[in-house]
Amino acid sequence: MLAPPVHRSDVIVGNESLSSPRCRMKTRGSVDDAVAVVVKDTGTARWVQAVVGLDVTYEHRQERRGGRGHNTGNRRIAHRLSSVAAEVGAEVVSYDAACDGCFPVITTEQHPAGEVLCIYKAQPHLERRRHTFKSAIEAAPFVLKSDAWIDVLAFCLYVARLVHALVERELRVAMAAKDVKRLPLWYEDRSGSSPTAERVFQVLEPPSATVLLHAGEGLMVSPPTLDHLQRQILGLLTIPSHAYRVDTDGQGQSR
């Protein structure tokens, strides 16, 4: 992206400041240093070249106060006035303007250039959705004044991430061992080859058991109904199906 340009009004204001009697920059070197700082701050050194000019005007005044006579001497006073002109490199500006916004796109897809550009522009939306799928752990803000409590919170986050990583690793290793290429874990029954722990937990969350009680006693227990995908995930994770069985004792307490 091109840097902000140096406007003509800025150059005019700068020349008015240099021509002011109160200007402290009296030498060519001080003016060059000030111009170099401005060009560096604006980031226009590639396109703009500042040309510093120095004009000298002379003024004659009498050496002493009072009326002028035949023997009155004069002295010549030199006034040095600096000016700055901005020269824009038209060729460099034209070249950079033609290349501004251009970047290479490397892909393995065999599509026309226009279609590849459309796919690239849609990529941030896909990445954002993928980020939503994979970002399962969130830490709420806490005010912790003890180093020990900070270590405890960090350890809890570490354990949570470790559990997610182990679930994903065990499931993917089991898929590779049983030659399961993809699982329909995503929304709209879309399948993926790299299941995440968050989606696994979301798929296994809905099953629930129903316990019918009367006078504090359990009359009937309806175990959760598992669909084909849930049973497949439990099988890959080597979790027995009776883990979802719910029994009640004589007092109607589930265990």
Side-chain angles (χ1 to χ4, degrees):
M1 183 177 180
L2 296 179
V6 177
H7 298 283
R8 179 178 177 84
S9 59
D10 297 336
V11 178
I12 294 176
V13 172
N15 288 330
E16 291 180 353
S17 299
L18 290 174
S19 61
S20 174
R22 298 182 178 180
C23 181
R24 297 182 179 181
M25 293 179 289
K26 301 298 183 181
T27 62
R28 176 66 178 270
S30 60
V31 177
D32 290 339
D33 295 340
V35 171
V37 171
V38 173
V39 173
K40 181 180 179 180
D41 292 342
T42 56
T44 55
R46 175 175 171 82
W47 308 281
V48 178
Q49 182 179 3
V51 179
V52 179
L54 182 61
D55 297 332
V56 181
T57 59
Y58 298 96
E59 178 185 4
H60 294 82
R61 292 185 180 181
Q62 63 182 24
E63 296 178 349
R64 298 179 181 179
R65 297 180 180 180
R68 180 178 294 275
H70 295 285
N71 298 326
T72 301
N74 297 324
R75 57 191 179 95
R76 188 174 69 171
I77 302 175
H79 297 281
R80 294 176 175 83
L81 302 178
S82 301
S83 62
V84 179
E87 294 184 358
V88 180
E91 296 182 359
V92 179
V93 171
S94 300
Y95 177 82
D96 290 348
C99 300
D100 188 25
C102 297
F103 56 92
V105 177
I106 302 176
T107 179
T108 58
E109 299 292 336
Q110 301 296 328
H111 296 295
E115 188 173 351
V116 171
L117 181 61
C118 294
I119 296 174
Y120 172 80
K121 290 184 176 180
Q123 190 69 19
H125 303 286
L126 300 178
E127 293 293 340
R128 189 179 301 110
R129 191 170 188 181
R130 184 70 175 175
H131 172 76
T132 303
F133 290 157
K134 295 184 70 65
S135 299
I137 304 300
E138 296 182 357
F142 287 96
V143 179
L144 302 177
K145 300 181 180 180
S146 173
D147 295 341
W149 283 109
I150 296 176
D151 293 338
V152 169
L153 179 60
F155 179 74
C156 292
L157 295 177
Y158 165 74
V159 172
R161 293 299 303 170
L162 180 61
V163 171
H164 278 70
L166 292 177
V167 170
E168 292 178 0
R169 180 180 181 276
E170 184 174 356
L171 183 58
R172 296 178 186 182
V173 170
M175 290 175 59
K178 297 184 179 181
D179 198 21
V180 178
K181 301 298 183 182
R182 307 175 73 87
L183 286 176
L185 283 174
W186 309 117
Y187 300 101
E188 295 93 19
D189 294 332
R190 291 184 291 111
S191 60
S193 59
S194 301
T196 62
E198 182 182 11
R199 280 301 299 160
V200 171
F201 295 151
Q202 291 176 357
V203 171
L204 297 178
E205 182 180 3
S208 58
T210 302
V211 180
L212 182 61
L213 302 176
H214 177 70
E217 297 183 358
L219 300 180
M220 184 182 64
V221 178
S222 297
T225 303
L226 302 177
D227 57 19
H228 175 71
L229 178 60
Q230 293 168 345
R231 292 182 181 276
Q232 185 180 10
I233 294 175
L234 293 177
L236 292 173
L237 294 176
T238 64
I239 298 177
S241 59
H242 62 76
Y244 284 83
R245 185 180 62 187
V246 178
D247 298 329
T248 58
D249 54 16
Q251 298 180 355
Q253 300 294 330
S254 60
R255 51 187 175 88

